[in-house]
Amino acid sequence: NAGVTQTPKFHILKIGQSMTLQCTQDMNHNYMYWYRQDPGMGLKLIYYSVGAGITDKGEVPNGYNVSRSTTEDFPLRLELAAPSQTSVYFCASSYPRAGQDGNTIYFGEGSWLTVV
Amino acid sequence: DAKTTQPNSMESNEEEPVHLPCNHSTISGTDYIHWYRQLPSQGPEYVIHGLTSNVNNRMASLAIAEDRKSSTLILHRATLRDAAVYYCILRNNAGNMLTFGGGTRLMVKP
């Protein structure tokens, strides 16, 4: 009963480096999301996907890229990391329709990323 | 997207009921009202959701105003473990853009 799994949990990245945050879900959900959360703030949507092969920008997509080659996986890539990308990143998934499965959005445990 | 407005913080005493308000005056007829909470250093977790009628589950109750422009999450007996940030969000059948506001930070005093 894994749910949404994110890796790594913690990572320190140097300015200008690139890395990929991995996210996988085993619930066969169509919708997947990436959020970032800065200290003391709410969640901001980076990218989302409504199904394999389809991705779209959220509120704060600059500096990030995503892909969705399978239903299960939704990796988030940071290119040319900057200190402003220091944050906690949450991946989430859900069914598409509002009433299905109680419309629950399942979140991963988060990935703490520091750019120095 | 319809937005929600919540107080930044609230305090409660342990074992007492807590009423967390949310305003959503621009809600559309197809928007479901959802509540999530985020415990320290964890991802958000589902609490409850509703469309028009009041809802109860093992965690909480959701009271929805008749005009649906506001709702209240009710924790019947607050415990120390209920200290968290509570988010009220709106989701429609498209469900793709999920926008979280700042939420309400609930502090529970022993």
Side-chain angles (χ1 to χ4, degrees):
Chain A
N1 197 19
V4 178
T5 303
Q6 295 180 231
T7 57
K9 191 168 180 66
F10 300 96
H11 194 78
I12 298 175
L13 199 59
K14 292 184 178 179
I15 295 172
Q17 288 185 330
S18 300
M19 78 163 298
T20 299
L21 300 178
Q22 301 291 343
C23 177
T24 187
Q25 52 92 8
D26 61 358
M27 296 172 282
N28 202 32
H29 286 162
N30 298 81
Y31 282 27
M32 294 188 75
Y33 318 84
W34 273 107
Y35 289 88
R36 61 175 285 172
Q37 185 174 36
D38 298 332
M41 306 296 286
L43 285 81
K44 292 187 182 299
L45 182 64
I46 305 171
Y47 270 96
Y48 66 97
S49 169
V50 301
I54 305 169
T55 62
D56 212 341
K57 296 178 181 179
E59 303 170 77
V60 290
N62 292 343
Y64 306 94
N65 279 302
V66 293
S67 60
R68 185 94 182 272
S69 57
T70 67
T71 299
E72 295 78 18
D73 301 307
F74 190 41
L76 176 72
R77 181 147 181 92
L78 283 72
E79 304 281 3
L80 298 175
S84 60
Q85 293 178 302
T86 294
S87 192
V88 183
Y89 292 83
F90 290 100
C91 180
S93 73
S94 73
Y95 285 116
R97 295 196 65 80
Q100 192 169 357
D101 188 36
N103 204 205
T104 302
I105 308 161
Y106 296 84
F107 284 83
E109 294 184 343
S111 296
W112 272 253
L113 179 67
T114 301
V115 182
V116 296
Chain B
D1 291 330
K3 302 297 183 187
T4 62
T5 304
Q6 301 176 251
N8 289 335
S9 64
M10 292 184 66
E11 273 192 4
S12 172
N13 293 318
E14 196 176 12
E15 302 294 319
E16 290 185 355
V18 182
H19 290 66
L20 298 167
C22 181
N23 288 318
H24 28 80
S25 59
T26 59
I27 191 171
S28 73
T30 58
D31 284 337
Y32 284 73
I33 301 159
H34 287 250
W35 284 81
Y36 282 75
R37 73 178 186 180
Q38 186 175 22
L39 301 170
S41 300
Q42 294 188 26
E45 63 176 352
Y46 170 82
V47 176
I48 200 166
H49 80 285
L51 184 62
T52 56
S53 303
N54 295 344
V55 183
N56 300 298
N57 67 20
R58 64 175 179 82
M59 290 181 71
S61 296
L62 176 60
I64 301 173
E66 194 168 342
D67 64 4
R68 299 206 331 122
K69 294 185 177 182
S70 65
S71 61
T72 302
L73 179 71
I74 302 166
L75 307 179
H76 295 287
R77 291 179 63 192
T79 70
L80 298 178
R81 287 173 293 181
D82 291 323
V85 178
Y86 288 78
Y87 296 98
C88 167
I89 64 173
L90 302 179
R91 189 180 187 202
N92 58 29
N93 275 331
N96 43 16
M97 285 284 286
L98 299 173
T99 303
F100 284 75
T104 296
R105 181 172 299 277
L106 175 65
M107 292 167 280
V108 180
K109 297 182 291 184

